[in-house]
Coordinates of all heavy atoms in Angstrom, one line a residue:
M930 N 0.1 58.1 18.3 CA 0.5 56.8 18.9 C -0.7 55.8 18.7 O -0.3 54.6 18.4 CB 0.8 57.0 20.3 CG 1.3 55.8 20.9 SD 2.9 55.5 20.4 CE 3.4 54.4 21.6
K931 N -1.8 56.1 18.8 CA -3.0 55.2 18.7 C -3.1 54.6 17.2 O -3.5 53.6 17.1 CB -4.4 55.9 19.1 CG -4.5 56.2 20.5 CD -5.8 56.6 20.9 CE -5.9 56.9 22.5 NZ -7.2 57.4 22.8
R932 N -2.9 55.5 16.3 CA -2.8 55.2 14.9 C -1.8 54.0 14.6 O -2.1 53.1 14.0 CB -2.5 56.4 14.0 CG -3.6 57.2 13.8 CD -3.3 58.3 12.8 NE -4.3 59.4 12.8 CZ -4.2 60.5 12.1 NH1 -3.1 60.7 11.4 NH2 -5.0 61.4 12.2
Y933 N -0.5 54.2 15.2 CA 0.5 53.2 14.9 C 0.1 51.9 15.7 O 0.3 50.8 15.1 CB 1.8 53.6 15.4 CG 2.3 54.8 14.7 CD1 2.5 56.1 15.3 CD2 2.7 54.7 13.4 CE1 3.1 57.1 14.7 CE2 3.1 55.8 12.6 CZ 3.3 57.0 13.2 OH 3.8 58.1 12.5
L934 N -0.5 51.9 16.8 CA -0.9 50.8 17.5 C -2.0 50.0 16.7 O -2.0 48.9 16.5 CB -1.4 51.1 18.9 CG -1.8 49.9 19.8 CD1 -0.7 48.9 20.0 CD2 -2.3 50.4 21.2
A935 N -3.0 50.9 16.2 CA -4.0 50.2 15.4 C -3.5 49.5 14.1 O -3.8 48.5 13.7 CB -5.1 51.3 15.0
L936 N -2.6 50.3 13.5 CA -1.9 49.7 12.2 C -1.2 48.4 12.5 O -1.2 47.4 11.8 CB -1.0 50.8 11.7 CG -0.3 50.4 10.5 CD1 -1.2 50.1 9.2 CD2 0.7 51.4 9.9
I937 N -0.5 48.4 13.7 CA 0.2 47.2 13.9 C -0.7 46.0 14.2 O -0.5 44.9 13.9 CB 1.2 47.4 15.3 CG1 2.3 48.3 14.9 CG2 1.7 46.2 15.9 CD1 3.2 48.9 15.9
I938 N -1.9 46.3 14.9 CA -2.8 45.2 15.2 C -3.3 44.8 14.0 O -3.5 43.6 13.7 CB -3.8 45.7 16.2 CG1 -3.3 45.9 17.6 CG2 -5.0 44.8 16.3 CD1 -4.1 46.6 18.5
V939 N -3.7 45.7 13.1 CA -4.3 45.3 11.7 C -3.3 44.3 10.9 O -3.6 43.4 10.4 CB -4.7 46.4 10.9 CG1 -5.1 46.1 9.5 CG2 -6.0 47.2 11.6
L940 N -2.1 44.7 10.9 CA -1.0 44.0 10.2 C -0.8 42.6 10.9 O -0.7 41.6 10.0 CB 0.3 44.8 10.2 CG 0.3 46.0 9.3 CD1 1.7 46.8 9.5 CD2 0.1 45.6 7.8
L941 N -0.8 42.5 12.1 CA -0.6 41.3 12.8 C -1.8 40.3 12.4 O -1.8 39.2 12.2 CB -0.5 41.4 14.3 CG 0.8 42.0 14.8 CD1 0.7 42.3 16.4 CD2 1.9 41.0 14.4
C942 N -3.1 40.9 12.4 CA -4.2 40.0 12.1 C -4.2 39.5 10.6 O -4.5 38.4 10.3 CB -5.5 40.8 12.3 SG -5.9 41.1 14.0
M943 N -3.6 40.4 9.7 CA -3.5 40.0 8.3 C -2.4 38.9 8.2 O -2.7 37.9 7.4 CB -3.2 41.2 7.5 CG -4.3 42.2 7.3 SD -3.9 43.8 6.5 CE -3.3 43.1 4.9
C944 N -1.3 39.1 9.0 CA -0.3 38.1 8.9 C -0.8 36.7 9.4 O -0.5 35.7 8.8 CB 0.9 38.5 9.7 SG 1.7 39.8 8.8
A945 N -1.6 36.7 10.6 CA -2.1 35.5 11.1 C -3.1 34.8 10.2 O -3.1 33.6 10.0 CB -2.9 35.8 12.4
Q946 N -4.0 35.7 9.4 CA -4.8 35.0 8.5 C -4.0 34.4 7.4 O -4.5 33.4 6.7 CB -5.9 36.0 8.1 CG -6.9 36.4 9.0 CD -7.8 37.5 8.6 OE1 -7.6 38.2 7.6 NE2 -8.9 37.6 9.3
A947 N -3.1 35.0 6.8 CA -2.3 34.5 5.7 C -1.6 33.2 5.9 O -1.6 32.4 5.2 CB -1.2 35.6 5.2
A948 N -1.2 33.1 7.3 CA -0.6 31.8 7.7 C -1.5 30.7 7.6 O -1.1 29.6 7.3 CB 0.0 32.0 9.1
V949 N -2.7 31.0 8.0 CA -3.8 29.9 8.0 C -4.2 29.6 6.7 O -4.3 28.3 6.4 CB -5.0 30.4 8.8 CG1 -6.2 29.5 8.6 CG2 -4.8 30.6 10.2
V950 N -4.3 30.4 5.8 CA -4.6 30.2 4.3 C -3.4 29.5 3.6 O -3.7 28.6 2.9 CB -5.0 31.5 3.6 CG1 -5.1 31.3 2.1 CG2 -6.3 32.1 4.2
W951 N -2.3 29.7 4.0 CA -1.1 29.3 3.3 C -0.8 27.7 3.6 O -0.2 27.0 2.7 CB 0.2 30.1 3.8 CG 1.3 29.6 2.9 CD1 2.4 28.8 3.2 CD2 1.7 30.0 1.6 NE1 3.2 28.7 2.3 CE2 2.9 29.4 1.2 CE3 1.0 30.9 0.6 CZ2 3.5 29.6 -0.1 CZ3 1.7 31.0 -0.5 CH2 2.8 30.5 -0.9
G952 N -1.4 27.2 4.7 CA -1.1 25.8 5.0 C -1.6 24.8 4.0 O -2.8 25.1 3.3
Q953 N -1.0 23.7 3.8 CA -1.4 22.8 2.8 C -1.4 21.3 3.5 O -0.6 21.0 4.3 CB -0.4 22.7 1.7 CG -0.2 24.0 0.8 CD 0.8 23.8 -0.3 OE1 1.5 23.0 -0.4 NE2 0.7 24.9 -1.1
A954 N -2.3 20.6 3.1 CA -2.4 19.3 3.7 C -1.5 18.3 2.7 O -1.4 18.4 1.7 CB -4.0 18.8 3.5
T955 N -0.9 17.5 3.5 CA -0.1 16.4 2.8 C -0.5 15.1 3.6 O -1.1 15.0 4.6 CB 1.4 16.7 3.1 OG1 1.8 16.7 4.5 CG2 1.9 17.9 2.4
T956 N -0.1 14.1 2.8 CA -0.4 12.7 3.3 C 0.9 11.8 3.0 O 1.9 12.3 2.3 CB -1.6 12.2 2.6 OG1 -2.0 10.9 3.3 CG2 -1.4 11.9 1.2
S957 N 0.9 10.5 3.2 CA 1.9 9.6 2.8 C 1.3 8.4 2.2 O 0.1 8.1 2.4 CB 2.7 9.3 4.1 OG 2.0 8.6 5.1
L958 N 2.1 7.5 1.6 CA 1.7 6.3 1.1 C 2.7 5.3 1.3 O 3.9 5.6 1.2 CB 1.6 6.5 -0.5 CG 1.2 5.2 -1.3 CD1 -0.1 4.7 -1.0 CD2 1.5 5.5 -2.7
H959 N 2.3 4.1 1.8 CA 3.3 3.0 2.2 C 2.6 1.8 1.8 O 1.4 1.7 1.9 CB 3.7 3.1 3.5 CG 2.7 3.0 4.6 ND1 2.3 1.8 5.2 CD2 1.8 3.9 5.1 CE1 1.3 2.0 5.9 NE2 1.1 3.2 6.0
G960 N 3.4 0.8 1.6 CA 2.9 -0.5 1.2 C 4.1 -1.5 1.1 O 5.3 -1.2 1.5
S961 N 3.7 -2.7 0.6 CA 4.8 -3.7 0.4 C 4.6 -4.3 -1.0 O 3.5 -4.4 -1.6 CB 4.7 -4.8 1.5 OG 3.6 -5.4 1.6
V962 N 5.7 -4.9 -1.5 CA 5.7 -5.5 -2.9 C 5.9 -7.0 -2.7 O 6.8 -7.4 -2.0 CB 6.7 -5.0 -3.8 CG1 6.7 -5.5 -5.1 CG2 6.6 -3.4 -4.0
T963 N 5.0 -7.8 -3.2 CA 5.1 -9.3 -3.1 C 4.9 -9.9 -4.6 O 4.3 -9.1 -5.4 CB 4.1 -9.9 -2.2 OG1 2.7 -9.6 -2.7 CG2 4.3 -9.4 -0.8
D964 N 5.4 -11.0 -4.7 CA 5.4 -11.7 -6.0 C 4.2 -12.5 -6.0 O 3.4 -12.6 -5.0 CB 6.5 -12.5 -6.4 CG 6.9 -13.6 -5.4 OD1 6.0 -14.0 -4.6 OD2 8.0 -14.2 -5.5
A965 N 3.9 -13.3 -7.0 CA 2.7 -14.2 -7.2 C 2.6 -15.2 -6.0 O 1.4 -15.5 -5.6 CB 2.6 -14.8 -8.4
S966 N 3.7 -15.6 -5.5 CA 3.6 -16.7 -4.4 C 3.5 -16.0 -3.1 O 3.5 -16.7 -2.1 CB 4.9 -17.5 -4.5 OG 6.1 -16.7 -4.1
G967 N 3.5 -14.6 -3.0 CA 3.4 -14.0 -1.7 C 4.8 -13.6 -1.1 O 4.8 -13.0 0.0
A968 N 5.8 -14.0 -1.6 CA 7.3 -13.7 -1.2 C 7.4 -12.2 -1.4 O 7.1 -11.6 -2.4 CB 8.2 -14.5 -2.0
T969 N 8.1 -11.6 -0.5 CA 8.6 -10.2 -0.6 C 9.6 -9.9 -1.7 O 10.4 -10.9 -2.0 CB 9.1 -9.6 0.8 OG1 10.2 -10.4 1.1 CG2 8.2 -9.7 1.8
V970 N 9.5 -8.8 -2.4 CA 10.4 -8.4 -3.5 C 11.3 -7.4 -3.0 O 10.9 -6.3 -2.7 CB 9.6 -8.0 -4.7 CG1 10.7 -7.6 -5.8 CG2 8.7 -9.0 -5.3
V971 N 12.6 -7.8 -2.9 CA 13.6 -6.8 -2.3 C 14.2 -5.9 -3.4 O 14.4 -6.6 -4.6 CB 14.6 -7.7 -1.5 CG1 15.8 -6.7 -1.0 CG2 14.0 -8.4 -0.4
E972 N 14.5 -4.7 -3.0 CA 15.2 -3.9 -4.0 C 14.5 -3.7 -5.3 O 15.1 -3.4 -6.4 CB 16.6 -4.1 -4.3 CG 17.4 -4.2 -3.0 CD 18.9 -4.6 -3.3 OE1 19.4 -4.9 -4.4 OE2 19.7 -4.6 -2.3
A973 N 13.2 -3.6 -5.3 CA 12.4 -3.3 -6.5 C 12.2 -1.8 -6.6 O 12.1 -1.1 -5.5 CB 10.9 -4.0 -6.3
K974 N 12.3 -1.3 -7.7 CA 12.1 0.2 -7.9 C 10.7 0.6 -8.0 O 9.9 0.0 -8.9 CB 12.8 0.7 -9.2 CG 12.9 2.1 -9.5 CD 13.7 2.7 -10.6 CE 13.1 2.5 -11.9 NZ 13.7 3.1 -13.0
V975 N 10.3 1.4 -7.1 CA 8.8 1.9 -7.0 C 8.9 3.4 -7.4 O 9.5 4.1 -6.9 CB 8.3 1.6 -5.6 CG1 6.8 2.1 -5.5 CG2 8.5 0.2 -5.0
T976 N 8.0 3.6 -8.4 CA 7.8 5.1 -8.9 C 6.4 5.4 -8.8 O 5.5 4.7 -9.1 CB 8.2 5.0 -10.4 OG1 9.5 4.5 -10.6 CG2 8.1 6.4 -11.0
L977 N 6.2 6.7 -8.3 CA 5.0 7.3 -8.0 C 5.0 8.6 -8.9 O 5.9 9.5 -8.7 CB 4.9 7.7 -6.5 CG 3.6 8.2 -6.1 CD1 2.4 7.0 -6.2 CD2 3.6 8.7 -4.6
T978 N 4.0 8.6 -9.7 CA 3.8 9.8 -10.7 C 2.5 10.5 -10.4 O 1.4 9.9 -10.4 CB 3.9 9.4 -12.1 OG1 5.1 8.6 -12.2 CG2 3.9 10.5 -12.9
N979 N 2.6 11.8 -10.1 CA 1.4 12.6 -9.9 C 0.7 12.8 -11.3 O 1.5 13.3 -12.2 CB 1.8 14.0 -9.4 CG 0.6 14.8 -9.1 OD1 -0.4 15.1 -10.0 ND2 0.3 15.3 -7.9
V980 N -0.4 12.4 -11.6 CA -1.0 12.4 -13.0 C -1.2 13.8 -13.5 O -1.0 14.0 -14.7 CB -2.4 11.6 -13.0 CG1 -3.1 11.7 -14.3 CG2 -2.2 10.2 -12.5
A981 N -1.6 14.7 -12.6 CA -1.9 16.1 -13.2 C -0.6 16.9 -13.4 O -0.5 17.7 -14.3 CB -2.7 16.8 -11.9
T982 N 0.4 16.7 -12.6 CA 1.7 17.5 -12.7 C 2.9 16.8 -13.4 O 3.9 17.4 -13.7 CB 2.1 18.0 -11.4 OG1 2.6 17.0 -10.5 CG2 1.0 18.9 -10.7
S983 N 2.8 15.5 -13.5 CA 3.8 14.6 -14.0 C 5.0 14.6 -13.0 O 6.1 14.2 -13.5 CB 4.3 15.0 -15.4 OG 3.2 14.8 -16.3
F984 N 4.8 15.1 -11.8 CA 6.0 15.0 -10.8 C 6.2 13.7 -10.4 O 5.3 12.8 -10.0 CB 5.6 15.8 -9.6 CG 6.8 15.9 -8.5 CD1 7.9 16.7 -8.8 CD2 6.6 15.2 -7.4 CE1 8.9 16.7 -7.7 CE2 7.7 15.3 -6.4 CZ 8.7 16.1 -6.6
V985 N 7.5 13.1 -10.4 CA 7.8 11.7 -10.2 C 8.7 11.6 -9.0 O 9.7 12.5 -8.7 CB 8.6 11.2 -11.3 CG1 9.1 9.8 -11.1 CG2 7.7 11.2 -12.6
R986 N 8.4 10.7 -8.1 CA 9.3 10.3 -7.0 C 9.5 8.8 -7.0 O 8.7 8.0 -7.5 CB 8.6 10.7 -5.7 CG 8.5 12.2 -5.5 CD 7.6 12.6 -4.3 NE 8.2 12.2 -3.1 CZ 7.9 12.5 -1.9 NH1 6.7 13.0 -1.7 NH2 8.5 12.0 -0.9
Q987 N 10.7 8.5 -6.6 CA 11.1 7.0 -6.7 C 11.7 6.6 -5.4 O 12.3 7.4 -4.7 CB 12.1 6.8 -7.9 CG 11.6 7.0 -9.2 CD 12.5 6.7 -10.4 OE1 13.7 6.8 -10.2 NE2 12.0 6.3 -11.4
T988 N 11.5 5.2 -5.1 CA 12.2 4.7 -4.0 C 12.5 3.2 -4.3 O 12.1 2.6 -5.4 CB 11.4 4.8 -2.7 OG1 12.2 4.3 -1.6 CG2 10.2 4.0 -2.8
V989 N 13.3 2.6 -3.5 CA 13.6 1.1 -3.6 C 13.0 0.4 -2.4 O 13.1 0.9 -1.3 CB 15.1 0.9 -3.7 CG1 15.4 -0.5 -3.8 CG2 15.6 1.7 -5.0
T990 N 12.4 -0.8 -2.6 CA 11.9 -1.5 -1.5 C 12.9 -2.0 -0.6 O 14.1 -2.1 -0.8 CB 11.1 -2.8 -1.9 OG1 11.9 -3.6 -2.8 CG2 9.9 -2.3 -2.7
T991 N 12.6 -2.2 0.6 CA 13.5 -2.5 1.8 C 13.8 -4.0 1.8 O 13.1 -4.8 1.0 CB 12.8 -2.1 3.2 OG1 11.7 -2.8 3.4 CG2 12.6 -0.7 3.2
S992 N 14.4 -4.5 2.7 CA 14.8 -5.9 2.8 C 13.5 -6.8 3.2 O 13.5 -8.0 3.1 CB 15.7 -6.1 4.0 OG 15.3 -5.7 5.3
K993 N 12.4 -6.1 3.6 CA 11.1 -6.7 3.9 C 10.1 -6.4 2.8 O 8.9 -6.7 3.0 CB 10.6 -6.3 5.3 CG 11.4 -6.7 6.4 CD 10.8 -6.4 7.7 CE 11.7 -6.9 8.8 NZ 11.2 -6.6 10.1
G994 N 10.6 -5.8 1.7 CA 9.7 -5.5 0.5 C 8.9 -4.2 0.7 O 7.9 -3.9 -0.2
G995 N 9.1 -3.4 1.7 CA 8.3 -2.2 2.0 C 8.8 -1.0 1.3 O 9.9 -0.9 0.9
Y996 N 7.8 0.0 1.0 CA 8.2 1.2 0.5 C 7.4 2.3 1.2 O 6.5 2.0 1.8 CB 8.1 1.3 -1.0 CG 6.5 1.1 -1.4 CD1 5.7 2.2 -1.5 CD2 6.1 -0.2 -1.7 CE1 4.5 2.0 -1.9 CE2 4.8 -0.3 -2.0 CZ 3.9 0.7 -2.1 OH 2.6 0.6 -2.4
E997 N 7.8 3.6 1.1 CA 7.1 4.7 1.7 C 7.4 6.0 1.0 O 8.6 6.2 0.6 CB 7.4 4.9 3.1 CG 6.7 5.9 3.8 CD 6.9 6.0 5.3 OE1 8.0 5.6 5.7 OE2 6.0 6.4 6.0
F998 N 6.4 6.7 0.7 CA 6.4 8.1 0.1 C 5.8 9.0 1.2 O 4.7 8.8 1.5 CB 5.8 8.2 -1.2 CG 6.3 7.2 -2.3 CD1 5.9 6.1 -2.7 CD2 7.4 7.8 -3.1 CE1 6.4 5.3 -3.6 CE2 8.0 7.0 -4.0 CZ 7.4 5.8 -4.3
V999 N 6.5 10.0 1.7 CA 6.0 10.9 2.6 C 5.9 12.2 2.0 O 6.3 12.7 0.9 CB 6.9 11.0 3.7 CG1 7.0 9.7 4.6 CG2 8.3 11.5 3.5
S1000 N 4.9 13.2 2.7 CA 4.8 14.5 2.2 C 4.2 14.6 0.9 O 4.7 15.4 0.1 CB 6.0 15.3 2.5 OG 6.4 15.4 3.8
L1001 N 3.2 13.8 0.5 CA 2.6 13.9 -0.6 C 1.4 14.9 -0.7 O 0.6 14.9 0.2 CB 2.0 12.5 -1.1 CG 2.9 11.3 -1.2 CD1 2.4 10.1 -1.5 CD2 3.9 11.8 -2.5
L1002 N 1.3 15.8 -1.8 CA 0.2 16.7 -1.8 C -1.1 15.7 -2.3 O -0.9 14.9 -3.1 CB 0.5 17.8 -2.9 CG 1.5 18.7 -2.4 CD1 1.8 19.7 -3.6 CD2 1.2 19.5 -1.2
P1003 N -2.2 16.2 -2.1 CA -3.4 15.5 -2.5 C -3.5 15.4 -4.1 O -3.0 16.4 -4.7 CB -4.6 16.3 -2.0 CG -4.0 17.1 -0.8 CD -2.5 17.4 -1.2
G1004 N -3.9 14.4 -4.6 CA -4.0 14.3 -6.1 C -4.2 12.8 -6.5 O -4.3 12.0 -5.6
T1005 N -4.2 12.6 -7.8 CA -4.2 11.3 -8.4 C -2.8 10.8 -8.7 O -2.1 11.7 -9.5 CB -5.1 11.2 -9.5 OG1 -6.4 11.7 -9.1 CG2 -5.3 9.8 -10.2
Y1006 N -2.5 9.7 -8.4 CA -1.1 9.2 -8.6 C -1.1 7.9 -9.4 O -2.0 7.1 -9.2 CB -0.3 9.0 -7.3 CG 0.0 10.2 -6.7 CD1 -0.9 10.9 -5.8 CD2 1.3 10.9 -6.8 CE1 -0.6 12.1 -5.1 CE2 1.5 12.2 -6.3 CZ 0.6 12.7 -5.4 OH 0.9 13.9 -4.8
K1007 N 0.0 7.5 -10.1 CA 0.1 6.3 -10.7 C 1.3 5.7 -10.2 O 2.4 6.3 -10.0 CB 0.4 6.5 -12.3 CG 0.7 5.3 -13.0 CD 1.0 5.5 -14.5 CE 1.4 4.2 -15.2 NZ 1.8 4.6 -16.6
L1008 N 1.2 4.4 -9.7 CA 2.2 3.7 -9.0 C 2.7 2.5 -9.9 O 1.9 1.7 -10.3 CB 1.8 3.1 -7.6 CG 2.8 2.4 -6.8 CD1 3.7 3.4 -6.1 CD2 2.1 1.5 -5.8
T1009 N 4.1 2.5 -10.1 CA 4.6 1.4 -10.9 C 5.8 0.8 -10.1 O 6.4 1.4 -9.4 CB 5.1 1.9 -12.2 OG1 6.1 2.9 -12.1 CG2 3.9 2.4 -13.2
V1010 N 6.0 -0.5 -10.3 CA 7.0 -1.3 -9.7 C 7.8 -2.1 -10.7 O 7.2 -2.7 -11.6 CB 6.5 -2.3 -8.7 CG1 7.5 -3.0 -8.0 CG2 5.6 -1.5 -7.7
E1011 N 9.1 -1.9 -10.7 CA 10.0 -2.7 -11.6 C 10.9 -3.5 -10.7 O 11.5 -3.1 -9.7 CB 10.7 -1.8 -12.5 CG 9.9 -0.9 -13.4 CD 10.7 0.1 -14.1 OE1 11.7 -0.3 -14.7 OE2 10.5 1.3 -14.2
A1012 N 11.1 -4.8 -11.1 CA 12.0 -5.6 -10.4 C 12.7 -6.6 -11.5 O 12.2 -7.0 -12.4 CB 11.3 -6.5 -9.3
K1013 N 13.9 -6.9 -11.1 CA 14.7 -7.9 -11.9 C 14.1 -9.4 -11.6 O 13.7 -9.7 -10.5 CB 16.3 -7.9 -11.6 CG 16.8 -6.5 -11.9 CD 18.3 -6.6 -11.5 CE 18.9 -5.3 -11.8 NZ 20.3 -5.1 -11.4
G1014 N 14.2 -10.2 -12.7 CA 13.8 -11.5 -12.5 C 12.7 -12.0 -13.1 O 11.8 -11.6 -13.8

């Protein structure tokens, strides 16, 4: 019985350590798009590309020119904006 209890305790400790190691840090990026005169740019396509993995995420600016990307993994990104006009 003591062997099984010791085994269970060891397995629980290993699982707890694995959960700590498995955690990943994420961040978010937000901003606003304006033109040369300072006016907000509505419905502009904003593209965020992870330079190392080429993973691409896209969004469109809001009625106030804002955009947001959430749950980003740490890394180097390239941000591009495209708008009509």
Side-chain angles (χ1 to χ4, degrees):
M930 183 69 163
K931 288 183 182 180
R932 284 186 190 170
Y933 293 117
L934 183 58
L936 180 61
I937 290 172
I938 291 172
V939 169
L940 289 175
L941 287 174
C942 289
M943 289 174 62
C944 289
Q946 288 176 346
V949 171
V950 172
W951 188 259
Q953 294 182 353
T955 60
T956 189
S957 62
L958 173 69
H959 59 91
S961 59
V962 179
T963 58
D964 64 12
S966 70
T969 59
V970 179
V971 178
E972 295 184 3
K974 183 169 86 171
V975 183
T976 304
L977 187 67
T978 306
N979 184 309
V980 174
T982 65
S983 298
F984 182 73
V985 175
R986 292 178 63 180
Q987 293 182 329
T988 191
V989 176
T990 57
T991 65
S992 61
K993 295 183 180 181
Y996 64 87
E997 182 175 29
F998 295 98
V999 296
S1000 298
L1001 296 172
L1002 294 175
T1005 302
Y1006 291 87
K1007 176 182 174 185
L1008 182 74
T1009 57
V1010 178
E1011 296 176 48
K1013 296 178 182 177

